[in-house]
């Protein structure tokens, strides 16, 4: 142990006394216990959150509440979230420790599986639930706050029913899942066996009659061409290049599917965007006019599509 570690440890002992256990409370009321010995061993990080070194968070900024249970006094309680240098270091450390503990502590009473794009559901058997539970315990926390990954069609989701509450996990790609705990969003890499099992239970072809936008899911190339002065350059991507690009395509189709058909004629003004989607040798062109668009000779209302297309550059440039 270094001199700095020894000094930090003595500060912790002075601050807390004898520690019985340590937990983190999420903003939706879920208490997750941390490993006390690992907590104490990380003395250098622990010293960073002594009250005199931290700014006080606004309640709205808090993501977790750290609770240190002590033998001879009331629990030490501290709200944690993104903030200044010391608080931010503590936040990322506690976030990592909490994420690592989640799937080790969750007791799955029952499990529900959904393909949200198809409005299909499946209840696994006890044996199947045990298989999923085992796969989740091997999930590895990914230290990212913005994965830039939209869920792949048909939007698989696990609803984990514990004795205390239901927890939803999104299967973003065959190897990435997202978990929401209160205000916090955590991401994990996981065995592709999880995605494969869910796809076997709810295959995309069970979705019923396809609509006019479904062929776009098979795109081999997507081109977004803004128009007008001061607009960004044309962006092109191949959905097969990565799961992130495939997720972007699938989210684009979701945005189109949310549109409401109109009986009005096409505007006489130029489109704001041309969205060209190639499926093999066929080009499908979507002309976007503010909060409306034209596709296959028909007009649609979709007020959020243009804002979504502005986010393309953020994802494609990563």
């Amino acid at each position: 142990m270094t001199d700095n570690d020894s000094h930090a440890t003595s500060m912790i002992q002075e601050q807390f006394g004898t520690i019985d256990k340590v937990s983190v409370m999420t903003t939706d009321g879920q208490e997750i216990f941390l490993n006390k010995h690992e907590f104490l061993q990380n003395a250098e990080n622990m010293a960073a959150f002594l009250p005199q070194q931290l700014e006080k968070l606004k309640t709205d900024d808090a993501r977790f509440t750290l609770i240190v249970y002590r033998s001879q006094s009331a629990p030490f309680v501290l709200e944690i979230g993104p903030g200044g240098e010391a608080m931010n270091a503590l936040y990322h450390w506690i976030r990592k420790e909490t994420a690592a503990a989640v799937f080790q502590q969750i007791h799955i009473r029952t499990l529900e599986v959904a393909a949200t794009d198809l409005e299909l559901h499946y209840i696994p058997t006890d044996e199947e639930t045990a298989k999923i539970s085992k796969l989740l315990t091997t999930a590895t926390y990914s230290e990212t706050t913005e994965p830039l990954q939209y869920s792949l069609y048909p939007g698989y989701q696990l609803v984990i029913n514990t004795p205390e509450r239901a927890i939803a996990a999104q299967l973003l790609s065959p190897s990435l899942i997202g978990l929401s705990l209160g205000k916090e969003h955590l991401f994990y890499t996981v065995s592709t066996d999880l995605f494969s099992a869910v796809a076997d239970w709810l295959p995309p072809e069970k979705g019923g009659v396809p609509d006019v936008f479904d062929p776009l899911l098979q795109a081999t190339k997507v081109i977004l061409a803004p128009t007008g002065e001061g607009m960004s350059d044309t962006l092109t991507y191949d959905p097969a290049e990565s799961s992130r690009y495939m997720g972007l395509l699938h989210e684009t189709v979701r945005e189109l599917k949310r549109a409401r058909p109109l009986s009005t004629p096409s505007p006489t003004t130029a489109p704001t965007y041309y969205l060209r989607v190639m499926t093999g040798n066929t080009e499908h062109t979507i002309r976007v006019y503010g909060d409306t668009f034209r596709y296959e000779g028909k007009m649609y209302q979709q007020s959020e599509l243009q804002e979504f297309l502005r986010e393309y550059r953020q994802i494609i440039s990563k």
Side-chain angles (χ1 to χ4, degrees), residues 29 57 143 160 170 230 232 268 272 293 303:
L57 278 181
E143 293 189 59
I160 303 165
Q170 307 289 333
S232 302
T268 56
T272 308
F293 67 88
S303 59

Side-chain angles (χ1 to χ4, degrees), residues 76 94 113 159 239:
F76 172 86
I94 291 297
V113 180
V159 178

Side-chain angles (χ1 to χ4, degrees), residues 164-239:
E164 296 81 25
R165 60 181 44 79
I167 301 172
Q170 307 289 333
L171 278 64
L172 300 173
S173 78
S175 60
L176 182 70
I177 62 174
L179 185 71
S180 295
L181 294 177
K183 294 180 181 178
E184 195 59 72
H185 302 287
L186 306 174
F187 304 96
Y188 299 80
T189 55
V190 68
S191 168
T192 56
D193 290 346
L194 176 61
F195 193 95
S196 296
V198 174
D200 284 343
W201 298 330
L202 294 174
E205 55 268 23
K206 291 181 66 174
V209 180
D211 64 22
V212 295
F213 300 109
D214 279 333
L216 305 182
L217 292 167
Q218 309 304 319
T220 53
K221 180 186 290 187
V222 179
I223 303 168
L224 178 65
T227 63
E229 294 184 7
M231 298 291 282
S232 302
D233 296 334
T234 296
L235 297 173
T236 302
Y237 69 93
D238 177 355

Side-chain angles (χ1 to χ4, degrees), residues 49-121:
F49 71 70
L50 293 177
Q52 60 267 30
Q53 297 184 28
L54 291 175
E55 78 280 13
K56 184 175 178 60
L57 278 181
K58 296 179 181 178
T59 301
D60 289 346
D61 293 335
R63 302 288 183 85
F64 302 108
T65 300
L66 177 67
I67 306 172
V68 180
Y69 294 92
R70 300 177 287 188
S71 298
Q72 299 173 346
S73 56
F76 172 86
V77 178
L78 179 67
E79 290 187 327
I80 296 172
E85 183 177 357
M87 175 60 81
N88 216 38
L90 173 63
Y91 161 62
H92 284 287
W93 183 80
I94 291 297
R95 185 177 192 266
K96 180 179 180 179
E97 293 298 308
T98 302
V102 169
F103 287 123
Q104 305 304 318
Q105 296 182 24
I106 286 179
H107 172 64
I108 301 179
R109 187 177 59 188
T110 59
L111 187 67
E112 301 172 45
V113 180
T116 56
D117 293 323
L118 305 177
E119 298 183 352
L120 295 176
H121 301 268

